[in-house]
Amino acid sequence: LFRSLGKEELADRIKEWAKKDDKFRSLFLVRFSKPDHRIDIEKYARVLVNVNKHKGSHNRYVDFDDDLPDVDKADELLHEMETNFSRTSVSEIISLCFAVFKVIAPSLYYVDDSDGDFSGLIEEAVDLLDTAIRQKEMPEPIRKETFDLCLKYHTTKGMDIDGLDFAVIEIAGDLLNDDIEKKRLFAVLDGLEKSNAGHYTEERIVEIRKIVIERFEGKEAAEKYLE
């Protein structure tokens, strides 16, 4: 059937389906758009918000005035990028992951997440982001921008639930590349230490500092810090 259709006719049909089905359109764009090698969080954030679409009709939402995140679409987009990881640019992966943080995380304050659908998506985005920065080549401007985003987005509303904020800070620790960035990261950790000095918080802060010190100053300096 595909072979019998001309290119123009097939393209027209795809356009029709894309107009009727925004999920299909989003997946099509993610799969086939040529990456422009820049981080564009809003491109995906717009796709992940269902403005007024199901407002007042979803019993898992407490505050019906909030725009509802499209968890199914977020799940499909993350899956699409995981499946096509080798063919997807690092800038596209970073854009989607931070869009998930921006759109999905705040909803943890007003949804019933007892089944872990929402927090699970954020954890999946953290894992995908972590894998991308470890396995993909990152141009220096993208690395620096991603480091800045990690320091900014750990404060996104909802990221403080289940330690998701620390997961993003840990990624910043893996990304930092010089003493200035190290001081910026440690300043963030100092602020967290002062504002919420609970046992769990202290442990995470110590672990992140240790890893960074070991990278920059060696194992002996890290062991001395732990003592």
Side-chain angles (χ1 to χ4, degrees):
L1 183 59
F2 276 126
R3 283 193 294 269
S4 70
L5 291 171
K7 183 179 178 181
E8 288 186 7
E9 185 179 359
L10 187 57
D12 287 339
R13 293 289 177 267
I14 290 173
K15 288 178 185 176
E16 288 178 17
W17 294 328
K19 287 177 182 177
K20 294 176 183 177
D21 187 336
D22 60 347
K23 189 177 293 184
F24 168 78
R25 182 175 65 251
S26 302
L27 291 169
F28 183 85
L29 289 171
V30 168
R31 179 66 184 84
F32 296 108
S33 290
K34 291 182 179 179
D36 55 11
H37 301 292
R38 68 185 182 92
I39 297 172
D40 185 357
I41 297 169
E42 288 306 313
K43 176 172 73 174
Y44 291 104
R46 287 191 297 269
V47 168
L48 298 181
V49 176
N50 273 341
V51 181
N52 296 321
K53 192 170 183 181
H54 304 295
K55 201 158 283 189
S57 64
H58 201 314
N59 60 13
R60 300 208 314 171
Y61 291 87
V62 177
D63 184 353
F64 297 117
D65 290 329
D66 285 294
D67 293 331
L68 311 185
D70 192 328
V71 290
D72 291 336
K73 196 175 293 179
D75 183 53
E76 288 195 43
L77 289 171
L78 287 167
H79 179 72
E80 179 73 16
M81 286 199 177
E82 289 163 355
T83 302
N84 296 284
F85 183 82
S86 62
R87 296 193 295 269
T88 307
S89 73
V90 69
S91 57
E92 291 297 305
I93 292 173
I94 292 166
S95 299
L96 174 62
C97 291
F98 280 101
V100 170
F101 301 156
K102 179 177 182 175
V103 175
I104 305 293
S107 66
L108 291 173
Y109 276 94
Y110 60 84
V111 301
D112 172 13
D113 191 41
S114 54
D115 56 6
D117 283 351
F118 291 77
S119 54
L121 284 171
I122 302 169
E123 290 170 6
E124 189 176 349
V126 168
D127 290 342
L128 179 59
L129 178 62
D130 184 59
T131 302
I133 68 163
R134 291 177 187 277
Q135 296 185 14
K136 284 190 170 285
E137 186 177 340
M138 292 187 74
E140 179 60 12
I142 295 292
R143 184 204 66 78
K144 289 183 73 171
E145 187 176 356
T146 307
F147 174 78
D148 291 341
L149 287 169
C150 286
L151 294 190
K152 174 184 176 182
Y153 271 76
H154 86 276
T155 60
T156 297
K157 187 177 180 182
M159 293 298 285
D160 57 331
I161 296 174
D162 295 333
L164 295 165
D165 50 351
F166 278 104
V168 176
I169 295 172
E170 285 174 358
I171 292 174
D174 292 332
L175 283 167
L176 66 83
N177 209 25
D178 56 39
D179 197 53
I180 293 174
E181 291 178 345
K182 175 186 166 187
K183 287 177 180 176
R184 287 179 60 200
L185 175 63
F186 280 14
V188 169
L189 295 175
D190 288 343
L192 290 169
E193 214 164 14
K194 291 173 184 175
S195 63
N196 183 15
H199 179 68
Y200 173 78
T201 299
E202 292 285 356
E203 279 192 345
R204 296 295 294 270
I205 290 171
V206 166
E207 182 62 24
I208 293 169
R209 286 186 193 273
K210 172 188 173 287
I211 291 169
V212 172
I213 291 170
E214 188 169 330
R215 270 185 60 202
F216 278 83
E217 303 172 41
K219 194 168 184 178
E220 188 176 336
E223 291 298 329
K224 188 176 180 180
Y225 162 70
L226 283 180
E227 289 174 11

